[in-house]
Amino acid sequence: MARVLITTVPFGDKNDLPIRQLEANGIEYLINPLGRKLKEDELAGMVSDVEVLIAGTEPITAKVMANAPRLKLISRVGIGLDSVDLMAAEQRGIKVSYTPDAPAPAVAELTIGLMFSLMRSIHVANARMHQGEWQRFFGRRLADLTIGIVGAGRIGGRVLQQLAALGAGRLLVNDINPAACGLDGIAAVEQVDKDVIYQASDIVSLHVPLTAQTKNMVRREHLLSMKPDAMIINTARGGVINEDELADVLASGHLAGAAVDVFCEEPYQGRLASIERCLLTSHMGSMSIDCRTRMEIEATEEAIRYLTGQALEGLVPEGEFQVQREGL
């Protein structure tokens, strides 16, 4: 019987179809016994007889792969590949697939929700009410704001479309490949440099992968170049914003607020948790029932295709390998 290790958790909680699919095909599987994100050494200790990983965001490094002589497929539940050493996988002949479209609607909607909470101080008012304090906060309306989106791919593009439909004010966008943004149907979107995004926006929202180029992309100088009452949101990847420098800038009184869903180390226990106007969520951008289920099903079906000798449908494109190969 084939051996599959499911590292991502939760898995099959809201819809057990992926588990039933594995069982219907007679595929032996193990779901992460620790029930949390695995560390490198923990994962390395679990993979000696594994053929397929149905993987989350845990580090799948050269060390892990060296401990997995039978590993032939890494099937990512989600889109991010910064946790997978693609070069090591390529050298060992391990195929890598992912589910890039499945999480996009949920992440985009969470981003919009975080925007509204920042604009109206909903998170702060809620915390104060739970402390027995009645305080009303002045807020701002979407139509009056300039919103800057860095990265207009699957998720950033959806955020722009939804903002336009909601009657947002000025919309700015920056992307390394403007021609591929698919923004033709969105009126009055201005493509500008990142510096313009930082300096002109009331809200900046980040939607880029974590690569060598985007790690610490937003640092102290960028945050200080923003308007004193501006806000910033990261639902992309931990490490795109320098967390310590964001904490410094917020602690100094600059910026009206920030919202962060993704962190360098998860679970997060850093300084941002002590700053009231910094809204923190627990890497839950994709955690709508429908999107999470679709991610799990797509990743499981890819595993089944491999183990039953069928052609794979979700292989990571060569361009993603090139990003790591060239240190982009």
Side-chain angles (χ1 to χ4, degrees), residues 9-10 67 101 113 122 209 230 236 250:
V9 287
N67 279 18
D101 296 312
I122 296 169
L250 287 168

Side-chain angles (χ1 to χ4, degrees), residues 118-159:
L118 289 178
M119 287 160 47
R120 298 299 301 272
S121 297
I122 296 169
H123 55 302
V124 178
N126 175 69
R128 298 280 181 89
M129 287 285 287
H130 281 277
Q131 295 163 8
E133 182 178 339
W134 179 276
Q135 183 175 353
R136 297 194 295 171
F137 294 86
F138 278 104
R140 307 175 73 182
R141 291 193 56 248
L142 203 59
D144 299 328
L145 301 184
T146 295
I147 301 176
I149 304 295
V150 181
R154 292 178 175 88
I155 296 168
R158 282 179 176 269
V159 171

Side-chain angles (χ1 to χ4, degrees), residues 4-304:
V4 173
L5 176 61
I6 301 166
T7 55
T8 184
V9 287
F11 188 86
D13 279 20
K14 296 299 182 182
N15 186 328
D16 67 352
L17 178 59
I19 294 171
R20 288 188 281 114
Q21 287 175 312
L22 290 169
E23 293 174 347
N25 283 276
I27 296 170
E28 181 187 3
Y29 65 90
L30 172 67
I31 298 177
N32 180 344
L34 299 184
R36 58 165 172 76
K37 183 176 177 178
L38 298 173
K39 299 176 182 178
E40 182 184 28
D41 287 342
E42 292 169 338
L43 180 57
M46 295 182 185
V47 293
S48 60
D49 60 349
V50 167
E51 291 184 47
V52 175
L53 280 179
I54 297 178
T57 58
E58 60 285 329
I60 307 175
T61 61
K63 176 180 177 179
V64 170
M65 295 180 210
N67 279 18
R70 298 179 60 195
L71 184 61
K72 297 300 179 185
L73 173 67
I74 299 165
S75 184
R76 268 282 286 120
V77 179
I79 184 173
L81 296 167
D82 50 281
S83 60
V84 182
D85 188 334
L86 295 178
M87 298 301 93
E90 187 175 56
Q91 290 164 8
R92 293 177 175 275
I94 300 169
K95 298 182 182 299
V96 183
S97 64
Y98 65 167
T99 63
D101 296 312
V107 180
E109 288 187 4
L110 179 70
T111 303
I112 298 294
L114 294 174
M115 285 186 186
F116 279 116
S117 190
L118 289 178
M119 287 160 47
R120 298 299 301 272
S121 297
I122 296 169
H123 55 302
V124 178
N126 175 69
R128 298 280 181 89
M129 287 285 287
H130 281 277
Q131 295 163 8
E133 182 178 339
W134 179 276
Q135 183 175 353
R136 297 194 295 171
F137 294 86
F138 278 104
R140 307 175 73 182
R141 291 193 56 248
L142 203 59
D144 299 328
L145 301 184
T146 295
I147 301 176
I149 304 295
V150 181
R154 292 178 175 88
I155 296 168
R158 282 179 176 269
V159 171
L160 281 165
Q161 291 169 354
Q162 292 175 20
L163 288 170
L166 289 166
R170 187 183 180 198
L171 294 175
L172 309 179
V173 63
N174 176 271
D175 194 277
I176 59 172
N177 188 10
C181 288
L183 304 177
D184 293 343
I186 306 176
V189 173
E190 304 172 45
Q191 299 201 35
V192 299
D193 292 338
K194 282 201 292 290
D195 286 344
V196 176
I197 296 268
Y198 300 137
Q199 294 164 16
S201 299
D202 299 296
I203 299 177
V204 174
S205 190
L206 306 171
H207 302 282
V208 297
L210 181 64
T211 67
Q213 280 191 336
T214 64
K215 186 172 178 61
N216 289 320
M217 181 182 78
V218 183
R219 300 183 300 276
R220 187 187 316 273
E221 59 265 35
H222 306 112
L223 297 166
L224 291 175
S225 74
M226 294 171 63
K227 300 175 183 178
D229 60 351
M231 297 160 275
I232 190 163
I233 297 171
N234 183 17
T235 56
R237 270 295 182 265
V240 173
I241 298 180
N242 185 299
E243 293 169 3
D244 284 337
E245 294 183 0
L246 175 60
D248 288 342
V249 169
L250 287 168
S252 76
H254 192 73
L255 300 181
V260 185
D261 183 52
V262 286
F263 305 90
C264 294
E265 295 291 335
E266 297 176 353
Y268 177 73
Q269 295 179 327
R271 293 165 56 209
L272 293 172
S274 66
I275 301 173
E276 184 181 48
R277 68 186 191 284
C278 187
L279 197 173
L280 305 179
T281 49
S282 50
H283 200 148
M284 51 190 258
S286 65
M287 293 291 287
S288 71
I289 293 172
D290 61 327
C291 288
R292 179 69 188 188
T293 297
R294 181 181 168 193
M295 291 160 63
E296 293 175 2
I297 290 171
E298 288 183 6
T300 300
E301 288 177 343
E302 189 80 334
I304 292 169

